[in-house]
Amino acid sequence: MRRQMKTGVVMLTLMALLVTALPAVAATEKADAEEGKPIRMVLADWGGVSLNLLGEEKYFEVWEAMTYSEQMAQTYSEKAAFNDKNRELKLAKANIDSYDLDNERRLAYTVSDGSAMKVYLHDLQSGENKVISQTNTTKRHVQVCGGRIAWVDSGSGSGRGTIIIYELEGGSSRTITLQESKNVELALTEKYLAYFNGESGKSGVSVYDLMAGTTLTASSSKTPKASLTMWGERLAWAEGSGATLPAGSLADYVYGYAVPNSTLNEIWAYDMATEKLTQLTDNNYNDIQPWVWDKYVTWAQFDAQGTSDILAMDLDDGTIYELPIDPLVLVSPCISAAAQSFIDLKDNQTDTYLLIVKAPTPALPALPGDELPDDQTDPSKEEQPAKEPANSYQSPQFAAAADQAITRLKGLGVMQGYPDGSFGEEKTLTRAEISKIAVIAAGLEANAQNEPGQASAFTDVAAGHWAHGWITVAAGQGFIKGDGDGQFRPDDTLTQAEALTVLLRVLGYDDELPGAWPHDYVSKAAQLGVLNNVIFLADSPINRAETAVITAAILEQGKVE
């Protein structure tokens, strides 16, 4: 669908959350009743948990995100965001009402058990399944984050109820009194608890500071709201006059806390850092089920015919992306560092879809000077938007690997720091700098230092350029190439794929590797284990820390004979 958005917002037909292009969507289908029907999925940085409906009962399935090496071991036609380690939790199937997941692999959920309703915490690593609370009151919208669990408790029948905030260490708890509990939803981070407040289904949005014990108002409007979500200091929710949605038990499960009885909702957001309330959408479509992660918010948008798209917005610049999927009934979107997920609801059937947001794709720029298919042009000749270093996406394992790599490369003289003693881990790398690193790693430093001060083969590399010798030797050895027009562009930054290509050529690998660039070099690197400690975003500019980790791993390999 192509839809008119708020004035000034750019509509794209490709969703790009962490990379500039994404591979095709890979579906995981639960097609028959014996296996159950997925009704919701929550993602974390390590993977996700789906909630599936089997008859009148529900159960969980755990999905592990694939490592980069695992992804590269597949062909692109087989690629999926999650591997085949997904498993059904060995928990008694029960009437699960709500659940949440954190990055510590902890699953919090509420169940109805006879006359009692319980809050559980399940450790996905140890298998411990612990009861946190067991009373005769209704417990809904459980959240887990930062060593805390929070849920909405209906109280003793007054209808007012409370929010319970439970500390996992020590077992203490505190409460927030509510005017009513029926339509309250929660969103929990390490620092804040956000919740709907009000009565008769008309709620504002409050935010409780878990450290200071104070409460502020994010929104004072008393219109119906649903699907409260928060990440860091950013909140989002659907707000409006309501939403007419398909009826039926399966649809009710999938839509969750949808506001009934009308036609329109819009997406709103609040930024705790700036204390700014913003209406993100303003259109004639029904926008529901937002989910916030990092600087992105994703949601489902319905038209008058009942079909929908999954959209996402970059909250920093307001750009809206549309998921490249044929119009279906797409609902319950969720995003994390691992993937984008959503549910396809069709008749009485649901399927879970997963879309990779970290893996490289065939639609990446070629290394300048490399041969390109006839139907492509060298994107280096087009104006490219500035990109941030990718190091902010790296894992804790990467930090340890970077420290070791930097120490080793300094000792070998392959990479050095700056006069002030810093290494400049976050600084991006230029083509001239990778030429020097490649030449030293290849043991050809003397060749570069002995280069005569004569004109370079490249028109933009003068004889007096600091990298003249390094570039001459690197280009002569075939480690790196010019742009085909007589220029080298020594000060241009490199992408991760380009730097990896140069360094693998130092080992003796060349463009005869099977497959199209950059997947030929990336596949070889994954096979060699060069990328084990790196979250690899092929089209992102590489920085010095990432270069050090990859270079150190390259030096562990034997040169190709």
Side-chain angles (χ1 to χ4, degrees):
M1 298 175 205
R2 296 293 176 268
R3 295 177 173 172
Q4 183 67 35
M5 288 293 174
K6 198 170 183 178
T7 303
V9 171
V10 178
M11 170 63 79
L12 302 180
T13 58
L14 187 65
M15 182 179 180
L17 298 181
L18 295 183
V19 291
T20 57
L22 294 173
V25 173
T28 301
E29 297 185 359
K30 297 292 182 182
D32 60 46
E34 291 183 359
E35 293 183 344
K37 301 172 183 178
I39 57 177
R40 189 180 179 223
M41 182 173 230
V42 174
L43 298 176
D45 290 353
W46 56 268
V49 171
S50 63
L51 181 61
N52 304 284
L53 184 66
L54 184 63
E56 293 301 318
E57 294 187 317
K58 303 171 190 173
Y59 68 94
F60 294 115
E61 192 163 12
V62 182
W63 302 78
E64 297 283 342
M66 299 184 76
T67 65
Y68 189 80
S69 296
E70 288 171 330
Q71 292 170 10
M72 292 309 302
Q74 301 182 91
T75 65
Y76 277 86
S77 62
E78 298 171 338
K79 193 166 296 298
F82 287 36
N83 59 30
D84 59 3
K85 296 176 185 175
N86 55 297
R87 65 190 188 280
E88 181 182 337
L89 277 185
K90 301 301 181 183
L91 303 175
K93 290 174 179 160
N95 295 317
I96 300 162
D97 184 83
S98 65
Y99 81 100
D100 192 34
L101 186 67
D102 69 6
N103 281 327
E104 302 301 319
R105 284 181 163 80
R106 293 177 300 197
L107 172 69
Y109 62 102
T110 62
V111 299
S112 175
D113 185 8
S115 61
M117 197 160 190
K118 300 178 182 179
V119 178
Y120 283 92
L121 182 67
H122 182 84
D123 190 312
L124 294 169
Q125 293 179 301
S126 69
E128 180 186 12
N129 199 45
K130 180 180 179 181
V131 176
I132 300 298
S133 176
Q134 178 178 344
T135 65
N136 293 330
T137 55
T138 301
K139 300 170 180 64
R140 289 197 169 94
H141 215 83
V142 68
Q143 298 279 284
V144 57
C145 183
R148 297 182 183 89
I149 298 179
W151 66 90
V152 179
D153 197 298
S154 65
S156 58
S158 65
R160 298 182 67 176
T162 59
I163 297 172
I164 309 294
I165 305 168
Y166 180 89
E167 301 287 341
L168 293 175
E169 184 175 347
S172 64
S173 63
R174 44 187 154 161
T175 63
I176 298 174
T177 302
L178 300 168
Q179 291 298 313
E180 67 170 28
S181 60
K182 180 179 179 182
N183 296 300
V184 175
E185 298 181 37
L186 307 181
L188 181 66
T189 66
E190 291 189 3
K191 188 175 180 181
Y192 299 107
L193 172 74
Y195 60 98
F196 293 147
N197 64 71
E199 54 188 324
S200 302
K202 298 179 179 180
S203 302
V205 182
S206 295
V207 182
Y208 176 71
D209 189 318
L210 293 162
M211 309 302 175
T214 56
T215 303
L216 63 82
T217 299
S219 173
S220 58
S221 67
K222 297 299 182 180
T223 52
K225 297 176 178 64
S227 303
L228 182 63
T229 174
M230 179 165 54
W231 194 95
E233 296 189 333
R234 283 170 160 156
L235 293 79
W237 61 87
E239 175 177 340
S241 53
T244 298
L245 301 170
S249 60
L250 185 60
D252 292 341
Y253 284 134
V254 172
Y255 287 114
Y257 295 86
V259 183
N261 302 326
S262 191
T263 56
L264 297 178
N265 278 299
E266 304 294 351
I267 306 299
W268 287 74
Y270 183 81
D271 191 323
M272 296 289 295
T274 62
E275 299 183 359
K276 183 178 180 181
L277 177 65
T278 306
Q279 182 176 346
L280 300 184
T281 63
D282 184 7
N283 53 57
N284 293 322
Y285 299 96
N286 190 20
D287 300 307
I288 65 169
Q289 298 178 317
W291 188 279
V292 174
W293 174 78
D294 193 40
K295 64 174 183 174
Y296 300 97
V297 59
T298 183
W299 69 92
Q301 184 180 88
F302 280 75
D303 63 14
Q305 286 70 47
T307 57
S308 65
D309 288 331
I310 303 295
L311 305 179
M313 176 184 286
D314 185 323
L315 293 171
D316 285 348
D317 62 21
T319 302
I320 291 181
Y321 305 92
E322 180 181 341
L323 206 66
I325 307 298
D326 291 335
L328 300 168
V329 182
L330 309 178
V331 290
S332 297
C334 184
I335 52 175
S336 75
Q340 159 95 43
S341 71
F342 56 93
I343 301 293
D344 170 22
L345 173 63
K346 200 171 186 179
D347 298 324
N348 197 37
Q349 179 61 48
T350 57
D351 297 322
T352 301
Y353 282 73
L354 297 163
L355 183 64
I356 303 170
V357 298
K358 277 189 174 176
T361 73
L364 295 177
L367 193 66
D370 286 352
E371 291 186 0
L372 293 167
D374 292 338
D375 61 347
Q376 292 188 25
T377 59
D378 187 345
S380 65
K381 297 178 183 178
E382 302 173 0
E383 184 177 352
Q384 299 292 318
K387 299 173 184 174
E388 297 178 356
N391 197 37
S392 59
Y393 299 118
Q394 296 297 350
S395 65
Q397 292 82 3
F398 171 83
D403 287 342
Q404 295 177 2
I406 290 168
T407 299
R408 184 179 181 217
L409 295 183
K410 282 183 175 180
L412 295 173
V414 177
M415 293 182 73
Q416 298 293 343
Y418 292 90
D420 63 0
S422 66
F423 186 77
E425 287 89 345
E426 291 284 350
K427 290 182 179 294
T428 54
L429 204 73
T430 67
R431 287 170 51 81
E433 290 168 335
I434 196 67
S435 298
K436 180 178 180 180
I437 292 169
V439 169
I440 297 175
L444 301 174
E445 183 174 1
N447 299 47
Q449 293 174 340
N450 293 331
E451 274 295 317
Q454 59 187 22
S456 167
F458 302 105
T459 58
D460 56 351
V461 181
H465 192 284
W466 73 267
H468 173 272
W470 307 111
I471 291 171
T472 299
V473 174
Q477 293 290 324
F479 301 155
I480 192 167
K481 303 175 184 180
D483 65 4
D485 290 333
Q487 291 189 323
F488 185 79
R489 303 196 318 278
D491 297 323
D492 282 10
T493 57
L494 291 100
T495 66
Q496 292 186 20
E498 291 169 344
L500 179 66
T501 299
V502 172
L503 293 170
L504 280 179
R505 285 172 177 168
V506 170
L507 288 181
Y509 296 103
D510 57 27
D511 298 348
E512 297 302 317
L513 287 169
W517 188 88
H519 309 299
D520 47 359
Y521 284 92
V522 175
S523 296
K524 175 56 67 175
Q527 178 184 337
L528 296 173
V530 168
L531 302 177
N532 285 351
N533 293 308
V534 179
I535 293 176
F536 193 82
L537 305 177
D539 198 29
S540 293
I542 195 166
N543 60 37
R544 286 172 55 81
E546 292 160 342
T547 303
V549 172
I550 293 174
T551 301
I554 289 285
L555 291 175
E556 294 293 329
Q557 305 297 321
K559 186 174 176 62
V560 177
E561 299 297 335

